[in-house]
Amino acid sequence: MGPDRDGTGRPPVDVVLRPISSPLPLGFLALFTGSLVLSAVQLRWIPGAQSHLVAIGVLAIVVPLQLVGCVFGFLSRDPACGTGMGVLAGTWAATGVSMLATQPGHAEAGLGIVLVAAAGALLVPTAVGAISKVLVAVVMGGAAARFAISGGYELTGAPAWEHSSGIAGIAVAAVAGYAAVAFEVEGALGRTALPVGRWSRGRRAVSGRLADQTADLAHEAGVRRQL
């Protein structure tokens, strides 16, 4: 037993934190890829007969990369990142499987319900992300809007919804691509170089002292006794 450092008479407890790289660039690059290739299908940039190949790409690239982002988001103690990446991974998996199982260009009401529900779920990490990192909230909110519009197409089969979803997907890909670059540069330099909208705890996470980062550690999930 070590010395009584907290004055309670109980032995001290040491919590070890392992530094890891931010999963945000990886997750946002996966979103960039998935959103762009799906827009290519919706806007008829590629033949509909090749949509199955796009589905395979989504399942092989986008889903696993965002699952990695989800796991390391939670390990980084960032609930907005972990939750958002997890919802995105599941939504892309459902989209990819549906594209493989149905005829190209055929709307599926069941998938529409899933997409609309996923859009609603993404509003949770969007709101939490806005508390500290505005750019994360913008990306998550944009993805939510994109999935909601895609859901509208699947539910109605109207070409206008599909075209709007494709346009929205390009916008989401652009914002996600910028976010990936901004957070990647931030990780490489150890400071914010491109605007990401950090404020409050998000700003202290980069420029604050070590004591600021661990001040509430005892009350975080994985350290406290119960979730």
Side-chain angles (χ1 to χ4, degrees):
M1 293 173 56
D4 180 12
R5 291 183 295 192
D6 59 6
T8 63
R10 295 189 295 268
V13 175
D14 292 325
V15 178
V16 179
L17 301 178
R18 175 180 296 177
I20 61 176
S21 180
S22 171
L24 288 174
L26 178 66
F28 288 153
L29 285 176
L31 177 60
F32 166 84
T33 302
S35 192
L36 189 60
V37 298
L38 184 57
S39 289
V41 173
Q42 293 172 324
L43 296 175
R44 303 295 189 268
W45 292 351
I46 61 176
Q50 296 184 14
S51 62
H52 288 174
L53 297 177
V54 171
I56 293 173
V58 167
L59 294 173
I61 299 174
V62 179
V63 174
L65 292 185
Q66 292 202 314
L67 282 176
V68 171
C70 169
V71 172
F72 279 90
F74 286 122
L75 292 177
S76 301
R77 301 180 295 146
D78 190 325
C81 174
T83 303
M85 295 298 176
V87 173
L88 286 172
T91 307
W92 285 117
T95 301
V97 171
S98 177
M99 291 175 68
L100 285 175
T102 60
Q103 294 295 324
H106 184 67
E108 291 288 338
L111 177 61
I113 294 295
V114 171
L115 292 175
V116 172
L122 280 173
L123 295 180
V124 175
T126 298
V128 175
I131 296 174
S132 57
K133 296 184 289 293
V134 174
L135 185 56
V136 171
V138 171
V139 175
M140 295 293 181
R146 191 250 204 278
F147 286 136
I149 298 172
S150 294
Y153 163 68
E154 297 293 340
L155 289 169
T156 65
W161 280 99
E162 184 179 30
H163 184 78
S164 298
S165 179
I167 297 298
I170 295 173
V172 170
V175 176
Y178 169 80
V181 173
F183 285 112
E184 186 83 347
V185 171
E186 182 181 82
L189 298 180
R191 59 180 176 82
T192 301
L194 298 174
V196 297
R198 284 187 181 274
W199 68 294
S200 184
R201 296 185 66 178
R203 181 177 297 172
R204 293 196 300 271
V206 173
S207 59
R209 300 170 301 170
L210 179 60
D212 298 327
Q213 315 299 325
T214 58
D216 301 320
L217 184 62
H219 304 290
E220 294 188 8
V223 180
R224 63 179 188 259
R225 183 179 295 273
Q226 296 185 7
L227 299 176

